[in-house]
Amino acid sequence: MKKHYAGVITGDIVGSTDMSESTRQACLAALKRCFEDFGERDVSGETVGEIYRGDAFQLYTNTPERVFDMAMTIRIALKSIDGSADARLSLSVAPATQRELPVRMANNSDAFILSGRRLDTMKSQRLAFTADEIDFASDVNVVVSLLDDHITQLTTKMAVALSVWMKNPTAQHTVLAQKLGITRSAFTRIINRAHYARIEETSKWYADRLSRYQRATEG
């Protein structure tokens, strides 16, 4: 029988108890906007996120090829508020039964278990990946760990520019610069410093690697 793969992100906001209340509320609002946007873009209606226990959250998606982009969107959205704002994100791709609500309590299939367990072991890491196939997980984790350091070091200005670009990746830089009230050359300089091409290339690599993994398991 063909396996049904899903993507799960389990995470929490880093250092939320040390944030000002205004920054903490802004981070929670940014998370909610991310979840709403992810859901609107999923025509199947099978992408849902939920915040619980103050600063913890979990996201389920029926389209695991998007889980990497979702993780990048969440971290960049938070860092757009404050360069020091961030989240620990444990990504997983594995078989999963159809989700129910509430997300955090209703599912004990592999994707949920792997994601939750991995988050419990994360310390200084902000991004980690697990899967039900060791070689696949190992390949992705090597690449993810390299990108993790890069995202952690983004400034607020870089994150804001990246956020605008990620929403409109094919738009001309002149158009995107106008949204921020800066010149095209300034916008291009900022996202080049943020190495936006590296994020795009990694996202494409992940989607391709996942596709090959799924074909192999189906064969």
Side-chain angles (χ1 to χ4, degrees), residues 11-16 19 24 27-28 31 55 57 78 86-87:
D12 53 30
I13 299 173
V14 176
S16 63
M19 292 177 172
R24 190 179 76 85
C27 288
L28 292 174
L31 277 174
D55 66 351
F57 53 91
L78 294 178
D86 209 340

Side-chain angles (χ1 to χ4, degrees), residues 9 11 31 35 48-52 56-60 100-106:
I9 299 176
L31 277 174
F35 294 163
V48 60
E50 185 178 33
I51 300 171
Y52 58 96
F57 53 91
Q58 193 165 68
L59 176 73
Y60 169 93
E100 299 174 15
L101 291 176
V103 171
R104 67 185 183 279
M105 297 175 63

Side-chain angles (χ1 to χ4, degrees), residues 51-83:
I51 300 171
Y52 58 96
R53 207 177 62 232
D55 66 351
F57 53 91
Q58 193 165 68
L59 176 73
Y60 169 93
T61 180
N62 199 36
T63 53
E65 64 273 14
R66 294 182 57 205
V67 75
F68 183 84
D69 285 335
M70 291 175 177
M72 291 298 97
T73 298
I74 289 171
R75 290 191 67 189
I76 290 171
L78 294 178
K79 295 187 76 65
S80 295
I81 297 167
D82 184 315

Side-chain angles (χ1 to χ4, degrees), residues 31-145:
L31 277 174
K32 291 177 182 177
R33 287 194 297 272
C34 286
F35 294 163
E36 290 170 358
D37 182 59
F38 298 156
E40 289 172 358
R41 290 174 56 192
D42 184 358
V43 294
S44 73
E46 285 296 329
T47 295
V48 60
E50 185 178 33
I51 300 171
Y52 58 96
R53 207 177 62 232
D55 66 351
F57 53 91
Q58 193 165 68
L59 176 73
Y60 169 93
T61 180
N62 199 36
T63 53
E65 64 273 14
R66 294 182 57 205
V67 75
F68 183 84
D69 285 335
M70 291 175 177
M72 291 298 97
T73 298
I74 289 171
R75 290 191 67 189
I76 290 171
L78 294 178
K79 295 187 76 65
S80 295
I81 297 167
D82 184 315
S84 63
D86 209 340
R88 295 189 308 160
L89 302 178
S90 172
L91 288 59
S92 73
V93 171
T97 54
Q98 187 173 11
R99 61 90 180 167
E100 299 174 15
L101 291 176
V103 171
R104 67 185 183 279
M105 297 175 63
N107 203 304
N108 63 350
S109 50
D110 289 352
F112 284 85
I113 292 172
L114 288 171
S115 179
R117 285 179 178 172
R118 186 67 182 88
L119 181 68
D120 290 340
T121 68
M122 292 172 65
K123 295 181 181 179
S124 60
Q125 281 180 291
R126 297 292 179 261
L127 199 63
F129 180 87
T130 54
D132 64 328
E133 204 280 324
I134 294 176
D135 289 340
F136 173 52
S138 178
D139 287 351
V140 176
N141 246 321
V142 169
V143 176
V144 161
S145 65

Side-chain angles (χ1 to χ4, degrees), residues 101-196:
L101 291 176
V103 171
R104 67 185 183 279
M105 297 175 63
N107 203 304
N108 63 350
S109 50
D110 289 352
F112 284 85
I113 292 172
L114 288 171
S115 179
R117 285 179 178 172
R118 186 67 182 88
L119 181 68
D120 290 340
T121 68
M122 292 172 65
K123 295 181 181 179
S124 60
Q125 281 180 291
R126 297 292 179 261
L127 199 63
F129 180 87
T130 54
D132 64 328
E133 204 280 324
I134 294 176
D135 289 340
F136 173 52
S138 178
D139 287 351
V140 176
N141 246 321
V142 169
V143 176
V144 161
S145 65
L146 295 175
L147 192 62
D148 184 9
D149 291 338
H150 169 63
I151 299 298
T152 300
Q153 295 170 17
L154 290 176
T155 65
T156 303
K157 183 183 293 186
M158 290 176 181
V160 169
L162 282 174
S163 182
V164 171
W165 166 74
M166 290 181 74
K167 293 175 182 176
N168 306 273
T170 61
Q172 294 183 347
H173 287 186
T174 300
V175 175
L176 300 181
Q178 289 174 349
K179 294 179 181 295
L180 298 179
I182 60 178
T183 64
R184 181 202 60 77
S185 60
F187 179 83
T188 300
R189 183 167 59 252
I190 294 169
I191 63 169
N192 280 340
R193 287 177 178 172
H195 298 291
Y196 76 103

